[in-house]
Amino acid sequence: MAKLYLVPTPIGNLKDMTFRAVEVLGDVDLILAEDTRTSGKLLKHFGISTPVQSHHQHNEHKTVAHLVQKIMGGTSIALISDAGTPAISDPGFLLTRACIEAGVEVECLPGATAFVPALVNSGLPNDKFVFEGFLPVKKGRQTRLSFLAEESRTIVFYESPHKLVKTLTDFCDFFGEDRHVSVSRELTKLYEETVRGTIKTVLEHFINNPPKGEIVICVSGKHK
């Protein structure tokens, strides 16, 4: 029976692609990709010739119902994002929910996602943590930071390089400059880097060394 497969892809190092992921992407009838140009390079590398269709945050609302009908009609579909596991701060949730509501089977393969190695490598407590993804850029940002200032578990964020200094500055204001933080960037890539310390010292580091690449921030929780 046709189903929806959620297939993780490498966050940087292509060797992190699983054998099973390659097999599924080669066997399905259609691949939904966040950016067909980015995914095209990956698929070419592994010799996968399955047809690819664009599926991203700007069109997923309009296409979900049609895609569910395609699967119910016998078309097996795999969903991939540009990097990591679909639906983790990437498109995927809406289609997954719609499939479940329609009784369509959904199968998620295990694989790469950026926040897990960043959290484990941070040295901060990871028995309990909260994943925040990207903070609001403007509306609701201060409210969210005020709420998280009282969180006792380790907090995990995604951030873009050009906003990192602003975000760390906000953390100083809302969490206190002595709170511990770990910033990982370019995970699994050639210039992978993790900077650990107080928010103040890590902020100073990135003021003096403007960052590049995808970033994961782990912040220690408030001590009670």
Side-chain angles (χ1 to χ4, degrees), residues 26-87:
D27 287 345
V28 294
D29 301 305
L30 176 65
I31 297 172
L32 302 178
E34 185 179 2
D35 186 324
T36 55
R37 294 166 299 180
T38 300
S39 297
K41 298 174 184 177
L42 174 77
L43 299 175
K44 182 179 180 180
H45 178 84
F46 289 104
I48 298 167
S49 57
T50 306
V52 182
Q53 179 178 315
S54 179
H55 182 81
H56 47 72
Q57 62 178 349
H58 302 297
N59 71 1
E60 60 179 336
H61 291 83
K62 301 175 183 178
T63 59
V64 162
H66 173 67
L67 291 170
V68 172
Q69 289 300 316
K70 282 181 72 74
I71 301 173
M72 294 178 72
T75 301
S76 287
I77 294 179
L79 173 65
I80 60 176
S81 59
D82 288 347
T85 300

Side-chain angles (χ1 to χ4, degrees), residues 34 40 74 88 111 118 120 132 137 151 163 165 175 185 198 206 209 221:
E34 185 179 2
I88 303 296
V120 174
E132 281 291 309
V137 177
E151 175 59 62
K163 294 178 182 174
V165 167
F175 301 160
R185 66 177 193 87
T198 64
F206 285 111
N209 302 275

Side-chain angles (χ1 to χ4, degrees), residues 47-206:
I48 298 167
S49 57
T50 306
V52 182
Q53 179 178 315
S54 179
H55 182 81
H56 47 72
Q57 62 178 349
H58 302 297
N59 71 1
E60 60 179 336
H61 291 83
K62 301 175 183 178
T63 59
V64 162
H66 173 67
L67 291 170
V68 172
Q69 289 300 316
K70 282 181 72 74
I71 301 173
M72 294 178 72
T75 301
S76 287
I77 294 179
L79 173 65
I80 60 176
S81 59
D82 288 347
T85 300
I88 303 296
S89 291
D90 278 323
F93 164 68
L94 293 179
L95 181 56
T96 300
R97 181 178 63 181
C99 284
I100 292 170
E101 290 175 348
V104 171
E105 186 176 354
V106 178
E107 184 173 347
C108 183
L109 278 61
T113 190
F115 79 82
V116 173
L119 173 62
V120 174
N121 195 36
S122 69
L124 299 174
N126 54 38
D127 56 330
K128 294 183 177 67
F129 64 93
V130 291
F131 176 70
E132 281 291 309
F134 290 96
L135 281 166
V137 177
K138 294 181 180 179
K139 185 178 180 181
R141 185 180 178 90
Q142 293 187 350
T143 301
R144 192 65 192 163
L145 286 168
S146 296
F147 174 80
L148 291 172
E150 301 301 316
E151 175 59 62
S152 61
R153 295 166 291 184
T154 300
I155 315 167
V156 183
F157 302 89
Y158 284 166
E159 192 52 278
S160 58
H162 65 281
K163 294 178 182 174
L164 178 61
V165 167
K166 171 178 170 45
T167 294
L168 291 174
T169 301
D170 287 342
F171 287 175
C172 279
D173 295 338
F174 286 88
F175 301 160
E177 59 185 28
D178 294 328
R179 188 89 69 95
H180 284 274
V181 66
S182 174
V183 175
S184 295
R185 66 177 193 87
E186 293 288 80
L187 286 166
T188 78
K189 299 178 184 179
L190 182 62
Y191 297 106
E192 176 177 336
E193 176 187 39
T194 295
V195 181
R196 308 173 186 86
T198 64
I199 296 176
K200 180 180 179 181
T201 58
V202 173
L203 170 60
E204 291 172 349
H205 171 83
F206 285 111

